[in-house]
């Protein structure tokens, strides 16, 4: 049996943590908790401090002395996607934001049991080969898969690449490898159904839902039931009368608890949008990890 099965909580070290969506997914699958973050951006750092006040933030990954960092069981890293994104210039390893070498350095020093990475789908054709070669050189194995947010019921596509890298010196040395949490059960909340304007006896989307959400009504309702939260207003009115999508609605689309980003004091709308735009759906991360851990 692994240490987690014996009652010990696995320790997560997180690089480029953002609002912690990747770790939230890992914690849905494994008995684990963050031991430290390494996040330099002001808004995500505030979000992390708000939700994990006892967890230290090591800051700039390029300045961390990994030899002095406490050991961990799991390393997570959503290393910057700009070098590989279709929306950017795709400079790959020539991009100054290519920070994978610092992740590799952390792995070499910390020797966690596993590492879980997340990036854009464009990483498949630019940069992934170098990552896999680097891992192979230090004797690590790796598997990867692309998962869309819609694969877990979210009403948007948002495809991401997930990589599970394993340390053969420690992962799986106990029979069965990691003990996973029981799968979360979806419960259909009748009160939520009423809040959403309900369904008729034939279980069709109501006329009011159709008027409000159009053809997306089934997807919106499904996500509301899966997350247990009704969708916030999609449009808010600013003082200058320009209608804008609310950050609360985007937060809901990402499958986050209400207020996870928008409830953190002191963040501007632009900071909230940037944090949400760079984030990952926790349920998407959990789905990918469950898949990659399955023999």
């Amino acid at each position: 049996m692994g240490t987690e099965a014996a009652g010990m909580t696995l320790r997560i070290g997180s690089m480029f943590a953002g609002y912690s969506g990747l770790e939230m997914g890992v914690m849905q699958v494994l008995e684990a908790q963050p031991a430290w973050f390494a996040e330099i951006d002001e808004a995500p750092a505030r979000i992390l401090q708000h939700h994990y006040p006892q967890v230290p933030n090591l800051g700039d990954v390029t300045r961390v002395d990994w030899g002095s960092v406490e050991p961990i069981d799991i390393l997570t890293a959503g290393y910057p996607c700009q070098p590989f994104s279709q929306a950017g210039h795709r400079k790959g390893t020539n991009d100054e934001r290519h920070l994978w070498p610092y992740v590799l350095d952390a792995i070499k020093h910390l020797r966690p049991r596993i590492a879980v990475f997340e990036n854009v789908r464009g990483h498949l054709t630019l940069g992934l080969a170098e990552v896999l070669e680097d891992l192979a050189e230090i004797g690590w194995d790796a598997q990867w898969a692309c998962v869309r947010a819609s694969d877990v019921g979210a009403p948007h596509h948002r495809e991401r690449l997930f990589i599970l890298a394993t340390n053969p010196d420690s992962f799986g040395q106990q029979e069965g490898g990691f003990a996973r949490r029981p799968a979360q059960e979806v419960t259909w909340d009748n009160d939520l159904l009423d809040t959403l304007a309900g369904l008729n006896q034939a279980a069709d989307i109501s006329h009011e839902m159709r008027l409000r959400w159009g053809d997306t009504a089934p997807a919106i309702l499904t996500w509301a039931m899966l997350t247990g939260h009704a969708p916030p207003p999609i449009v808010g009115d600013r003082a200058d009368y320009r209608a804008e999508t609310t950050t609360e609605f985007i937060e809901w689309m990402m499958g986050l608890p209400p207020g996870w980003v928008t409830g953190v004091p002191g963040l501007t709308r632009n900071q909230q949008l940037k944090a949400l735009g760079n984030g990952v759906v926790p349920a998407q991360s959990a789905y990918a990890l469950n898949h990659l851990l399955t023999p």
Side-chain angles (χ1 to χ4, degrees):
M1 298 290 289
T3 57
E4 66 282 7
M8 292 182 63
T9 300
L10 298 168
R11 299 172 62 80
I12 305 173
S14 175
M15 303 174 67
F16 318 103
Y19 61 57
S20 192
L22 185 55
E23 295 74 52
M24 293 167 75
V26 170
M27 289 187 284
Q28 288 180 24
V29 177
L30 302 172
E31 189 67 46
Q33 289 294 326
W36 50 259
F37 297 108
E39 173 59 66
I40 193 174
D41 198 4
E42 177 187 356
R46 285 191 185 184
I47 296 168
L48 297 172
Q49 173 63 26
H50 183 77
H51 293 292
Y52 307 99
Q54 305 303 318
V55 179
N57 184 352
L58 306 183
D60 187 348
V61 300
T62 68
R63 297 178 178 273
V64 175
D65 175 11
W66 296 112
S68 65
V69 174
E70 62 181 301
I72 51 173
D73 303 289
I74 304 168
L75 178 70
T76 59
Y79 48 92
C81 65
Q82 292 90 342
F84 320 112
S85 174
Q86 297 289 353
H89 299 291
R90 286 177 62 82
K91 294 181 179 180
T93 56
N94 294 319
D95 194 304
E96 63 182 9
R97 295 163 295 185
H98 177 58
L99 299 178
W100 161 253
Y102 297 98
V103 180
L104 181 64
D105 191 38
I107 292 173
K108 289 178 178 178
H109 282 89
L110 299 173
R111 304 295 294 179
R113 292 176 62 182
I114 65 170
V116 184
F117 310 131
E118 175 268 333
N119 215 291
V120 294
R121 192 184 192 283
H123 194 22
L124 276 173
T125 55
L126 184 63
L128 179 59
E130 288 80 1
V131 168
L132 298 177
E133 288 172 4
D134 287 342
L135 290 169
E137 284 184 3
I138 62 172
W140 278 49
D141 301 317
Q143 305 174 69
W144 59 95
C146 287
V147 176
R148 298 164 295 191
S150 55
D151 291 334
V152 295
H156 54 100
H157 189 67
R158 198 172 185 81
E159 187 172 13
R160 289 293 180 267
L161 171 68
F162 295 89
I163 306 166
L164 172 66
T166 54
N167 180 351
D169 294 336
S170 58
F171 176 73
Q173 64 185 10
Q174 295 90 5
E175 184 178 354
F178 283 124
R180 281 179 256 182
R181 291 180 182 270
Q184 294 183 348
E185 295 184 4
V186 176
T187 57
W188 301 98
D189 186 335
N190 290 327
D191 291 336
L192 181 58
L193 284 174
D194 292 339
T195 302
L196 293 169
L199 304 174
N200 63 23
Q201 291 183 351
D204 293 327
I205 302 297
S206 71
H207 179 64
E208 183 177 343
M209 286 288 291
R210 289 286 187 189
L211 288 176
R212 186 182 306 173
W213 300 106
D215 291 340
T216 64
I220 293 291
L221 180 58
T222 297
W223 193 233
M225 298 306 297
L226 289 170
T227 61
H229 301 292
I234 189 171
V235 175
D237 294 323
R238 292 186 1 163
D240 58 6
Y241 300 104
R242 288 176 53 200
E244 296 180 311
T245 303
T246 64
T247 50
E248 288 81 4
F249 182 77
I250 298 171
E251 180 179 66
W252 177 82
M253 292 272 282
M254 296 300 287
L256 296 172
W260 187 263
V261 171
T262 59
V264 176
L267 297 186
T268 67
R269 171 181 166 81
N270 285 341
Q271 286 177 318
Q272 292 175 0
L273 287 172
K274 182 180 177 182
L276 291 165
N278 288 335
V280 60
V281 176
Q284 181 184 7
S285 303
Y287 180 94
L289 181 57
N290 258 324
H291 170 72
L292 293 171
L293 282 171
T294 301

